[in-house]
Amino acid sequence: MNSRTPSDSISGMQVYDLGQCYWPTMPLHPFDPPFQFFLYRYHEYVRKSFDDMGIEPGFSDAISLVVTSMHAGTHLDLPIHMSQNNEVMGIDVRPYQRDTGFKDLPDPLHSPEKVPPLVLRAVLLDIAAYKGLDILSERYAITPEDLEGACGAQGVTLRDGDCLLVRTGYGRFFETDRDTYLNKWAGLSDDGARWIAARNLKLVGIDNLSLGVPQPFSSHRIILVERGIYVMKNLTLETLAADRRYVTTVVVLPLKIKGGEASLVRPIALA
């Protein structure tokens, strides 16, 4: 009789945190609203209120408040995040928009509450290492040849339903060099995005601000809007790459936000 439990199966695995931190002055896309975080309740003031009301003398709490878009820091984009001529995957999304979010979206379109927990085979393509670099050059556009070459050099293949993680090296600047992260990052060329879109992937993740170079919206249109592949941005892939963990299991748990178009996430990789 097999007495092993699920916890036994993962107890010897390495857990890699792929998410970046969140704070009020973090790098954000210039089109996006700011990330705001406030300590709404302070212990000493709550204690006084509790004491005065006789609720629980000496007891207190602290409560914080966050005001943000769903595109701050590490996040997951759903296809309805962007559109071309108001269409996503051939569907006009205008009739389904409300002030409170999207409503009654037709298949295959959906909001985060319909996204299941994503537990996917993941392939890391370390494009910088493939090019013999620690980090790709400023505004470098990753080509299909780069992607194919990295697959060959690393001895990996992409399968249907996989998560593809693309390392440029720019994730290291998220907390240390705002200007470089916001203005000098490398990303996918349009042809590189088409190479990815031709694969039957579930999710594409990258360690930069906005996926593509030089026109970030083109890669979004190709991968997200036309093919309906989830996109995850602002990842940190440095430790995963340093350990040469090219094939892992990625776990991504979007918040179940009804009517939303994206979600903040803290993904992990298991190896």
Side-chain angles (χ1 to χ4, degrees):
M1 182 176 181
N2 187 353
S3 60
R4 288 178 61 82
T5 66
S7 61
D8 293 328
S9 300
I10 65 172
S11 61
M13 303 182 78
Q14 178 75 33
V15 179
Y16 293 87
D17 188 346
L18 308 184
Q20 300 279 14
C21 291
Y22 299 85
W23 72 98
T25 58
M26 64 195 289
L28 297 170
H29 193 285
F31 292 176
D32 291 351
F35 177 88
Q36 300 179 72
F37 177 90
F38 307 95
L39 192 58
Y40 178 71
R41 282 162 55 156
Y42 287 67
H43 280 282
E44 60 269 33
Y45 301 119
V46 174
R47 177 183 176 177
K48 183 178 185 305
S49 295
F50 282 6
D51 287 350
D52 291 346
M53 291 185 286
I55 294 176
E56 186 70 33
F59 194 75
S60 66
D61 64 26
I63 293 179
S64 55
L65 175 69
V66 174
V67 181
T68 183
S69 81
M70 287 296 106
H71 305 274
T74 307
H75 66 277
L76 180 79
D77 288 340
L78 275 61
I80 56 172
H81 168 45
M82 292 189 172
S83 68
Q84 180 68 43
N85 299 320
N86 300 313
E87 292 189 352
V88 182
M89 301 177 71
I91 298 171
D92 188 336
V93 295
R94 289 176 293 179
Y96 310 103
Q97 298 175 119
R98 306 288 188 274
D99 288 346
T100 54
F102 288 88
K103 187 174 178 59
D104 299 325
L105 285 164
D107 290 336
L109 305 183
H110 55 275
S111 287
E113 79 275 12
K114 297 291 182 65
V115 179
L118 300 172
V119 182
L120 307 172
R121 177 181 182 267
V123 173
L124 169 69
L125 293 185
D126 189 346
I127 306 302
Y130 168 68
K131 305 289 284 186
L133 302 169
D134 188 39
I135 179 172
L136 291 175
S137 58
E138 180 177 330
R139 306 296 289 170
Y140 181 78
I142 297 168
T143 66
E145 292 75 20
D146 293 331
L147 296 162
E148 288 277 9
C151 283
Q154 296 175 192
V156 296
T157 57
L158 287 166
R159 303 174 186 170
D160 288 357
D162 274 356
C163 166
L164 170 61
L165 302 173
V166 180
R167 178 182 175 268
T168 67
Y170 280 80
R172 72 182 63 183
F173 297 118
F174 189 79
E175 292 195 49
T176 62
D177 190 336
R178 180 184 179 89
D179 178 64
T180 295
Y181 194 78
L182 286 175
N183 300 304
K184 301 176 183 179
W185 43 274
L188 299 172
S189 67
D190 287 0
D191 285 342
R194 292 186 186 96
W195 184 93
I196 291 171
R199 275 76 189 157
N200 190 27
L201 302 176
K202 186 73 172 180
L203 171 62
V204 177
I206 195 165
D207 61 345
N208 72 14
L209 179 74
S210 195
L211 198 61
V213 172
Q215 301 295 331
F217 292 150
S218 295
S219 53
H220 282 81
R221 182 183 65 251
I222 294 164
I223 293 173
L224 195 67
V225 176
E226 295 177 358
R227 288 286 287 122
I229 299 170
Y230 297 140
V231 170
M232 191 162 55
K233 292 176 290 192
N234 295 320
L235 297 175
T236 175
L237 301 173
E238 296 305 287
T239 305
L240 198 66
D243 289 352
R244 300 184 180 182
R245 297 290 197 173
Y246 298 135
V247 179
T248 61
T249 297
V250 159
V251 180
V252 185
L253 305 175
L255 302 175
K256 297 173 74 172
I257 301 171
K258 291 187 176 183
E261 82 299 333
S263 173
L264 307 185
V265 291
R266 185 179 181 178
I268 62 171
L270 302 173

